[in-house]
Amino acid sequence: MVNKITIENLKAVYEGVLALNGVNLDIRQNEILGIIGPSRSGKTTLLKVLNRMIDFVPRSRVEGKILFDNLNIYTDIRLLALRRKIGMVYALPLPLPMSIFDNVAYGPRLHGTKSKSVLSDIVEKCLKASYLWDEVKDRLDSQAFQLSGGQQQRLCISRTLAVEPEVILYDEPCSGLDPISTAKVEDAMRELKEKYTQVLVTNNTKQAARVSDRTAFFLMGELVEVDNTKKIFTGPSDERTNDYITGKFG
Ligand code: ADP
Ligand code: MG
């Protein structure tokens, strides 16, 4: 089992708030790692540390070591390269106010790809990978906001894929979607497993049970336990995990 990311003794502090307190966690190549836990347990912060978006938060502080392919993300990798390799999909789909095609082509264009045929190939490949192609192939020039919420979220996944990341982080990607749209986003994640390492923060424990290979339970900034998803949902080691997944607190 190859580790894509290794997190050692991670602490993250915002002005007086200890958001993560001594987290040790490996993220394995090509797995879907589910991250569950009540709100304010530090899930989003963990994702923000991984692609260093937390650098934008004034007076935030990070301690510990994070290795990405055995390289320290703070000292051995350039920031832009890191952000390109670790893509993020947010809770609310935020397509850009432009066509479906241009949304997917945006990142590659920014990185210097100009050829229309190369861009067309990228757009087709990424829309296929995110399970959206069949629904939009005849209207690539339509405005992205005309798509349904679920389609917009899959478009956002396509956009993330277009700059060829190795890891995809999702922060509650289906929280605003109906069950059918959610199922399609989950199908896309399963399809993407072959090529990518995925970290899925979800406030929906059932979603973690459905799609994650392993699941980590966070509580008040601490990793309570991480194990195979089946084990977490049928016989967790820690009573607090059991209380959470059985709905005793949320
Ligand atoms: P989760 O995603 O599990 O809900 P977060 O990582 O967003 O948890 O938050 C963890 C803790 O950090 C919470 O107590 C939250 O209030 C605090 N926090 C998050 N972002 C900021 C910020 N930008 N400034 C100050 N405190 C923050
Ligand atoms: Mg969050």
Side-chain angles (χ1 to χ4, degrees):
M1 216 84 70
V2 180
N3 281 345
K4 191 70 183 165
I5 295 174
T6 305
I7 300 165
E8 290 174 11
N9 201 19
L10 171 64
K11 278 190 189 166
V13 185
Y14 302 102
E15 274 189 292
V17 180
L18 182 59
L20 289 172
N21 188 11
V23 171
N24 292 287
L25 177 63
D26 295 329
I27 301 171
R28 299 172 183 167
Q29 179 126 31
N30 294 89
E31 77 172 337
I32 300 180
L33 175 67
I35 309 265
I36 60 171
S39 62
R40 296 199 299 279
S41 54
K43 306 181 299 296
T44 295
T45 301
L46 179 74
L47 299 187
K48 280 201 222 161
V49 171
L50 294 182
N51 67 359
R52 291 187 51 189
M53 293 307 260
I54 199 165
D55 293 15
F56 290 121
V57 181
R59 290 175 296 280
S60 63
R61 192 158 47 83
V62 175
E63 287 172 25
K65 190 153 98 180
I66 298 170
L67 302 177
F68 173 74
D69 285 341
N70 288 316
L71 299 173
N72 186 311
I73 65 164
Y74 278 93
T75 56
D76 304 339
I77 309 174
R78 287 208 319 247
L79 189 54
L80 285 181
L82 179 76
R83 297 239 174 93
R84 189 172 176 166
K85 286 182 178 174
I86 304 187
M88 179 99 161
V89 175
Y90 298 91
L92 289 176
L94 288 173
L96 301 162
M98 48 179 80
S99 72
I100 295 169
F101 185 99
D102 288 342
N103 261 274
V104 185
Y106 185 84
R109 278 183 176 134
L110 209 62
H111 288 285
T113 306
K114 292 197 179 77
S115 152
K116 174 82 183 176
S117 72
V118 173
L119 288 170
S120 288
D121 287 349
I122 293 173
V123 168
E124 177 171 344
K125 195 178 79 181
C126 296
L127 287 171
K128 280 181 173 160
S130 68
Y131 253 70
L132 187 57
W133 176 250
D134 288 337
E135 292 162 54
V136 301
K137 61 173 188 274
D138 301 322
R139 49 173 175 143
L140 295 176
D141 292 328
S142 304
Q143 287 296 309
F145 64 75
Q146 292 174 351
L147 298 171
S148 72
Q151 289 172 327
Q152 287 187 23
Q153 193 57 297
R154 280 175 287 145
L155 180 67
C156 289
I157 295 174
S158 307
R159 258 177 45 196
T160 302
L161 297 178
V163 295
E164 301 185 321
E166 295 171 16
V167 176
I168 308 172
L169 311 174
Y170 302 89
D171 196 358
E172 304 190 0
C174 301
S175 56
L177 303 183
D178 62 76
I180 290 170
S181 305
T182 296
K184 288 188 176 163
V185 171
E186 290 175 3
D187 282 343
M189 284 179 203
R190 287 189 196 95
E191 244 356 73
L192 294 169
K193 256 176 74 83
E194 216 177 297
K195 274 187 73 182
Y196 305 91
T197 301
Q198 300 176 91
V199 182
L200 168 64
V201 165
T202 177
N203 53 4
N204 177 346
T205 51
K206 292 198 180 99
Q207 176 167 63
R210 284 192 298 267
V211 296
S212 309
D213 299 301
R214 292 192 307 147
T215 298
F217 172 58
F218 278 75
L219 186 62
M220 294 190 294
E222 288 182 27
L223 171 60
V224 173
E225 68 180 300
V226 54
D227 214 321
N228 291 329
T229 295
K230 202 167 184 184
K231 170 89 165 52
I232 292 287
F233 285 96
T234 55
S237 309
D238 196 291
E239 201 173 336
R240 293 167 296 172
T241 312
N242 191 55
D243 287 349
Y244 182 69
I245 61 167
T246 56
K248 288 206 181 116
F249 66 95

